Amino acid sequence: MSTAPLIEIRDLSVRRGRAPILDDISLEVHPGTLHALLGPNGAGKTTLVQSLLGGMPHRGSIRYHFRKQQNIGYVPQRLELDPTLPIRVQDFFRLMMQRRAVPLGSSAVARTQMRRLLALTGTEHLEGRSMATLSGGELQRILLAQALHPDPEVLILDEPTSSIDESGRQAYGDLLSRLRDAHQVTIFMVSHHLRWVLELADEVSVLDRRLIQSGSPAEIAKSNAIEQVFGLAPQPTASRGGSGRAGVSTWI
Amino acid sequence: MDLIDDLFRHWAQQGYLPATFAHDFMVRALLAGLIVGPLLGGMGTMIVARKLAFFTQGIAHASLTGVSLGLLFGEPLGETYAGLYGVALLCALLMLYIRNRTRAASDTVIGVVLAQTMALGIVMLVLVTKQFDVHQIEAMLFGSLLTISEQDLVLIGVIGAVAALVLIGLYNPFMLMCFNPALAASRRAHPVAIEYLFVLTAALVVSASLKLIGVLLVLALVVLPAAAAANIVRGLSAYFWLSVLIATLSMVVGLLLASYSSLPVGAAVVLCASALYYLTWLFKLIAALPDARQTETSAKVGTTSSHRPVREAPDPSLARTAATQETKR
């Protein structure tokens, strides 16, 4: 990539006590791309996300070179939802989108914006549903919808598909591709679904406390980075016709 | 204050209010109850959402130690403000600091501090009761109608006004933080600062309520109204206001019950809140009956006709996306 990066991470290190969580990470995320971060459990993926959001003390530098909105949308992996707490999807949006305390009434502007975002992610029908009754896929699309306000230049997603089945994951991937292409949103996504990520992403970084490799999905698939981190070998079968990227092997 | 007392006395003599409001202490207790009741009810929804109920109990126990400490250091009985509020705020900060700085579970940290403050409080009570009548301290444990002075009422009013403003201002980011602190942080909120501010406010409100409700039962008035409201409402706004209403109603009815009997105020108020909790629980059960019958019927139909379990309808938007994918292929 020859364009200037939107996110520039230089020599990032995070320690917990004496134990290194992230060690000397340097990587770039380019504008308008979907950059996926792959890594096994305990690789420091969520720590990197927290550092990007400014919630983790670290050494090294993280720079955002915004060009337009200067907003970052964040999609967490999950919510701590008490099933007895009476909170609906619309309440969740009102908590984020209006200044007025929710018990003091709803703002018409916030309501209009919420409906636009729900329509963008195909979740209009969930507006009145209790948050506790949403399926994993529904919750992830609601979380994606909230991250689209205010209009973000960067979306940071932390394991968005960990509780979604295969078909839901494909649909979610299509939604992300649409956002990237139609709204020119730069997406930085943490995931451990190898095949899905290699088919979907423009750039992939493999992390295991330190950066193992960064490159295009084809480059990552050809390298031994994934085998080194996950202990897996690529299957010499052909890639999925049409939807997959050329040269991307299928991983078990 | 005299004007308000005269007004209540007049209404009580005219029969518009129960005769018990002819007494000044009863008017002060009612006014204090009308300030702390709604506050505890509203704050309770936030405390339950953040799982801080046990924390509230920790603050209440610390306040008892604070009163004893105030007396030991020469504060007059009934006016141990520095001891009461000082120790409550200090313990609130300490519990939160230890919890944030260690990997210990929240319950463990609160349990440790609670046990230590209780032990310290008991030791100091023994020392204090050499100088004072133990029955005067009992009012702190169970609540009393008689102990609210004019000075207390003014202080409760000031704390109430400040706490209401802080809680309303914090509501949205605080509730968001309950679901995911990183999400709140990404919305330009500061989760650590928000939690400290909330906990300090909660400590002030709980301490202000102790003379009326008592150390042992203040937790119930934080948890019960919120739990009762959660039984029958669906949205956050209704949840908050119903909890406020239940706490206020329990407070007023409990005060009246206590004034006509020899019951401690705290116990009377909490019994009222408990009755309302069971009432809402009954409503919930009755409301769930038609759904349960419908599910039972559907399940029977499903079993006899197809011998397959009833499946949830697929999400229409997912189906749309899947159809588009198929077409592309």
Side-chain angles (χ1 to χ4, degrees):
Chain A
M1 288 276 175
S2 56
T3 52
L6 184 64
I7 307 175
E8 191 180 1
I9 302 170
R10 288 275 168 265
D11 311 320
L12 178 78
S13 295
V14 177
R15 288 180 165 273
R16 186 170 291 147
R18 288 183 180 179
I21 306 297
L22 290 174
D23 186 19
D24 207 23
I25 308 288
S26 292
L27 70 86
E28 294 179 344
V29 178
H30 294 93
T33 59
L34 198 160
H35 191 120
L37 185 69
L38 277 173
N41 289 336
K45 305 187 294 290
T46 297
T47 304
L48 180 54
V49 165
Q50 299 307 324
S51 304
L52 284 173
L53 293 171
M56 182 66 68
H58 58 263
R59 289 175 63 189
S61 69
I62 296 172
R63 288 208 178 92
Y64 288 92
H65 303 288
F66 290 114
R67 295 178 303 174
K68 296 175 288 179
Q69 290 93 342
Q70 305 208 349
N71 292 324
I72 301 171
Y74 169 56
V75 179
Q77 187 177 358
R78 65 174 77 86
L79 296 179
E80 297 290 327
L81 280 172
D82 176 353
T84 63
L85 192 70
I87 176 168
R88 296 165 298 180
V89 169
Q90 54 183 279
D91 295 320
F92 180 62
F93 275 86
R94 282 164 63 198
L95 285 176
M96 281 175 292
M97 297 171 74
Q98 66 180 49
R99 272 177 162 263
R100 190 190 306 167
V102 168
L104 299 184
S106 72
S107 136
V109 177
R111 206 163 41 240
T112 311
Q113 283 171 339
M114 173 191 70
R115 286 180 182 153
R116 181 181 67 84
L117 297 174
L118 291 177
L120 261 178
T121 52
T123 48
E124 310 96 306
H125 59 292
L126 301 176
E127 183 184 330
R129 277 269 294 278
S130 162
M131 289 290 285
T133 63
L134 299 178
S135 69
E138 287 170 338
L139 180 63
Q140 276 307 324
R141 280 181 295 145
I142 292 294
L143 290 174
L144 182 59
Q146 64 77 29
L148 299 175
H149 175 83
D151 285 345
E153 193 164 346
V154 182
L155 267 181
I156 297 176
L157 298 89
D158 188 2
E159 299 269 15
T161 57
S162 57
S163 55
I164 306 181
D165 61 15
E166 177 66 25
S167 65
R169 198 154 52 239
Q170 291 301 332
Y172 195 84
D174 289 346
L175 186 56
L176 290 180
S177 300
R178 270 209 309 277
L179 285 172
R180 175 195 55 193
D181 300 337
H183 299 268
Q184 282 85 47
V185 180
T186 304
I187 300 172
F188 183 77
M189 179 178 69
V190 168
S191 181
H192 61 260
H193 289 113
L194 305 181
R195 194 179 71 186
W196 182 69
V197 158
L198 292 175
E199 286 176 354
L200 184 69
D202 301 304
E203 295 171 43
V204 178
S205 293
V206 183
L207 184 80
D208 193 5
R209 295 183 187 265
R210 58 192 177 84
L211 190 66
I212 305 297
Q213 191 174 351
S214 215
S216 70
E219 286 167 350
I220 296 295
K222 278 179 201 162
S223 75
N224 66 348
I226 289 178
E227 189 182 356
Q228 184 184 337
V229 168
F230 292 95
L232 295 173
Q235 298 298 296
T237 54
S239 63
R240 281 164 47 136
S243 63
R245 287 169 187 282
V248 176
S249 304
T250 305
W251 297 79
I252 295 176
Chain B
M1 190 65 214
D2 288 343
L3 189 69
I4 297 172
D5 286 341
D6 291 343
L7 195 64
F8 270 82
R9 195 175 300 119
H10 176 69
W11 284 340
Q13 282 162 358
Q14 294 293 314
Y16 299 133
L17 284 175
T20 183
F21 286 107
H23 304 293
D24 294 352
F25 71 83
M26 191 60 200
V27 176
R28 287 197 295 273
L30 178 72
L31 292 177
L34 286 175
I35 297 169
V36 296
L39 267 177
L40 288 173
M43 200 174 73
T45 60
M46 299 164 85
I47 284 175
V48 168
R50 187 64 183 153
K51 298 182 177 71
L52 286 172
F54 192 36
F55 189 90
T56 313
Q57 192 64 33
I59 293 170
H61 279 92
S63 303
L64 182 66
T65 310
V67 170
S68 310
L69 203 65
L71 290 172
L72 270 180
F73 280 91
E75 285 192 280
L77 186 66
E79 293 172 20
T80 51
Y81 302 122
L84 172 67
Y85 291 100
V87 172
L89 291 175
L90 204 66
C91 282
L93 286 175
L94 186 71
M95 284 190 279
L96 202 54
Y97 181 80
I98 296 174
R99 195 201 67 181
N100 290 347
R101 287 282 164 167
T102 64
R103 289 188 186 181
S106 187
D107 284 359
T108 311
V109 173
I110 298 164
V112 167
V113 176
L114 187 147
Q116 287 167 348
T117 52
M118 264 306 268
L120 198 63
I122 290 166
V123 168
M124 282 195 281
L125 265 179
V126 171
L127 296 173
V128 166
T129 48
K130 286 180 182 169
Q131 301 165 37
F132 298 95
D133 181 359
V134 73
H135 296 294
Q136 290 171 310
I137 303 294
E138 270 181 12
M140 269 304 280
L141 288 176
F142 305 113
S144 167
L145 285 172
L146 302 170
T147 51
I148 305 284
S149 65
E150 275 188 30
Q151 208 173 341
D152 287 330
L153 193 56
V154 171
L155 193 60
I156 289 172
V158 172
I159 288 174
V162 171
L165 287 175
V166 172
L167 293 178
I168 286 297
L170 283 185
Y171 187 88
N172 291 1
F174 181 85
M175 291 301 277
L176 200 54
M177 189 186 74
C178 298
F179 307 134
N180 191 300
L183 182 60
S186 77
R187 296 267 159 194
R188 298 195 170 90
H190 197 305
V192 177
I194 287 172
E195 189 152 50
Y196 270 102
L197 190 54
F198 178 79
V199 157
L200 289 178
T201 311
L204 282 177
V205 175
V206 167
S207 305
S209 317
L210 292 182
K211 275 195 166 180
L212 201 58
I213 311 293
V215 166
L216 297 181
L217 291 168
V218 70
L219 171 71
L221 205 57
V222 169
V223 175
L224 276 173
N231 277 340
I232 52 172
V233 297
R234 289 193 65 212
L236 269 189
S237 190
Y239 176 47
F240 181 90
W241 290 116
L242 187 60
S243 179
V244 166
L245 183 70
I246 289 171
T248 311
L249 198 64
S250 307
M251 186 64 89
V252 173
V253 176
L255 282 175
L256 286 172
L257 265 178
S259 75
Y260 283 114
S261 62
S262 55
L263 285 175
V265 186
V269 169
V270 170
L271 284 177
C272 289
S274 303
L276 289 171
Y277 171 79
Y278 286 114
L279 197 64
T280 56
W281 183 65
L282 207 59
F283 273 129
K284 186 184 173 184
L285 277 186
I286 292 167
L289 275 180
D291 290 344
R293 278 202 204 108
Q294 207 170 5
T295 313
E296 204 176 310
T297 316
S298 312
K300 274 181 189 164
V301 169
T303 314
T304 50
S305 61
S306 66
H307 299 280
R308 274 183 292 184
V310 180
R311 293 183 67 183
E312 193 183 345
D315 186 328
S317 63
L318 270 184
R320 272 203 305 276
T321 321
T324 320
Q325 268 186 319
E326 284 303 317
T327 318
K328 278 181 190 168
R329 283 173 197 165

